[in-house]
Amino acid sequence: MARSDLILSIVRASAAGDRKALRASVEAIVAEERSKNHHILADRLQRAMNSVSVAPPAVSSHSAGQSGKDSILETVPRQRIDDLILSLPVGEQIKQLVEEQHRADLLRSYGMQPRHRVLLSGPPGNGKTSVAEAIAEALAVQFFTVRYDALVGSFLGETNTRLAKLFDYARTVPCVLFFDEFDSIGKERGDIHETGEIKRVVSFLLMQIDQLPSYVVTVAATNHAELLDRAVWRRFQLRLSMPQPSAEALAVYLDRQLAQWPEPAGLTADLLAKKLGPVSFAEALEFCQTVRRRHILSSNNRELKAIVREQLDLWAARVIPKVADAARSREAAPPLK
């Protein structure tokens, strides 16, 4: 049974409406019960604490219109880690993180916490969002994507207030909290072109990330690692680079796509990968889907191989946009581990 002083502190915190003290006391009881292998009771206490946290506190009419949930898009994760084509270091480290989360009780019994902060960097279309979703699927937890349109406010201090509510909501349940295009909010504070408000937001954001419990897995993704504040890198235990796929990886991906087609494509996945050239997984998928669309719209009266040849001709003639700031992309980013 939990100690009487902890029970007393819970009663006092509840009477005073002190949610922070209430959570701390309940967490202490949960830890004590787990140390005694009373896992059923500990789980029930944890669920009860989360349900209390979900209930919105009394707020004024001025702040009632914006809750932490308003800044989050909740989706059901469907992507699986085994379905992704990842480099060996990335795949292994993601699987290690999932194992640590699954066996968190064992780690905590030794005074350690599972890793729960991941930073993914690399050009767009190469699986950063898919990795975040796959982590949520492997852990069987909710997948929260941060909505910047509902997060960033136009008034002084408004963004920090919304950030606080967002993190309070994320703490109520085990989840994966995903920040896409993290460089848009985690910018370098030394940039002379940024306002003081942005710098305050970055400082507050980093503090909130530090305080998240280990059952909230934070995944941040960026296409521009060089724009991130230097302090951001230290906050993340896993910093993984996801570059454009190699020709071999692209061929494996295309082979999976061609296997789903009702007819032969008229060329191998290796040859198709060579013809497409250096592209992202997203671009390769779009090419395959375009071929299938044309085949479906032809009412299957045209052979797939003919449509593939036609689309490859169009692919070769496409306009490739120039990178707006090539010099910036060549700047050295902090080393990835």
Side-chain angles (χ1 to χ4, degrees), residues 92 125 175-176 186 233 271 319:
E92 284 302 311
C175 64
V176 169
W233 298 86
L271 182 56
V319 176

Side-chain angles (χ1 to χ4, degrees), residues 18-37:
D18 189 343
R19 293 161 59 86
K20 186 175 181 180
L22 175 62
R23 170 173 287 276
S25 299
V26 175
E27 286 178 341
I29 292 180
V30 169
E32 183 175 316
E33 295 304 315
R34 290 199 189 281
S35 68
K36 299 175 181 177
N37 292 323

Side-chain angles (χ1 to χ4, degrees), residues 35-314:
S35 68
K36 299 175 181 177
N37 292 323
H38 298 164
H39 296 296
I40 295 178
L41 175 58
D43 289 341
R44 292 177 65 185
L45 285 169
Q46 186 79 50
R47 287 194 296 269
M49 179 176 63
N50 289 339
S51 66
V52 169
S53 299
V54 171
V59 293
S60 66
S61 59
H62 175 73
S63 60
Q66 178 76 20
S67 67
K69 191 173 182 179
D70 296 333
S71 302
I72 289 176
L73 177 64
E74 300 183 35
T75 55
V76 177
R78 304 188 185 279
Q79 192 71 253
R80 298 176 64 251
I81 292 177
D82 291 339
D83 293 337
L84 301 179
I85 300 174
L86 304 171
S87 64
L88 184 61
V90 173
E92 284 302 311
Q93 293 199 66
I94 292 299
K95 289 178 180 178
Q96 288 178 12
L97 179 139
V98 170
E99 181 186 12
E100 290 176 18
Q101 286 288 326
H102 280 309
R103 307 182 69 184
D105 286 346
L106 177 59
L107 290 174
R108 292 184 182 117
S109 70
Y110 283 86
M112 302 188 71
Q113 294 290 334
R115 288 177 291 182
H116 61 108
R117 296 191 294 269
V118 185
L119 177 61
L120 305 173
S121 65
N126 294 311
K128 295 188 292 295
T129 301
S130 296
V131 166
E133 182 180 345
I135 292 174
E137 194 278 336
L139 297 178
V141 298
Q142 298 185 56
F143 184 48
F144 295 159
T145 301
V146 176
R147 294 177 48 213
Y148 295 124
D149 61 318
L151 182 63
V152 179
S154 56
F155 298 104
L156 184 67
E158 188 176 8
T159 301
N160 279 359
T161 300
R162 294 178 180 178
L163 268 174
K165 293 179 179 180
L166 182 154
F167 282 104
D168 283 344
Y169 180 75
R171 290 185 183 94
T172 63
V173 62
C175 64
V176 169
L177 182 62
F178 180 50
F179 289 86
D180 198 6
E181 300 183 5
F182 192 60
D183 48 276
S184 64
I185 194 171
K187 294 181 180 179
E188 169 61 56
R189 284 171 289 184
D191 189 344
I192 61 174
H193 300 293
E194 293 297 346
T195 65
E197 174 70 359
I198 289 296
K199 295 175 182 179
R200 285 189 289 272
V201 168
V202 174
S203 298
F204 186 74
L205 172 67
L206 297 180
M207 180 186 70
Q208 289 291 323
I209 289 176
D210 278 343
Q211 294 176 354
L212 280 175
S214 59
Y215 59 80
V216 176
V217 178
T218 305
V219 181
T222 178
N223 302 330
H224 301 287
E226 73 279 359
L227 297 182
L228 291 179
D229 188 88
R230 284 168 290 182
V232 167
W233 298 86
R234 185 172 57 83
R235 270 18 187 236
F236 291 89
Q237 299 136 326
L238 288 177
R239 294 165 287 186
L240 307 177
S241 176
M242 301 189 65
Q244 193 165 273
S246 63
E248 294 77 12
L250 187 62
V252 173
Y253 181 77
L254 288 170
D255 188 57
R256 294 182 182 179
Q257 299 299 318
L258 299 184
Q260 301 175 29
W261 289 4
E263 299 176 14
L267 74 174
T268 64
D270 289 327
L271 182 56
L272 180 57
K274 291 179 181 178
K275 288 184 175 294
L276 291 180
V279 297
S280 66
F281 288 125
E283 290 173 305
L285 176 61
E286 182 58 37
F287 176 86
C288 294
Q289 290 180 339
T290 298
V291 171
R292 284 292 290 132
R293 291 190 192 99
R294 303 314 304 167
H295 187 242
I296 293 170
L297 293 175
S298 72
S299 300
N300 298 327
N301 290 328
R302 296 184 62 195
E303 291 186 336
L304 264 172
K305 60 180 66 177
I307 299 176
V308 170
R309 289 195 298 268
E310 174 189 83
Q311 292 302 317
L312 281 174
D313 290 339
L314 294 173

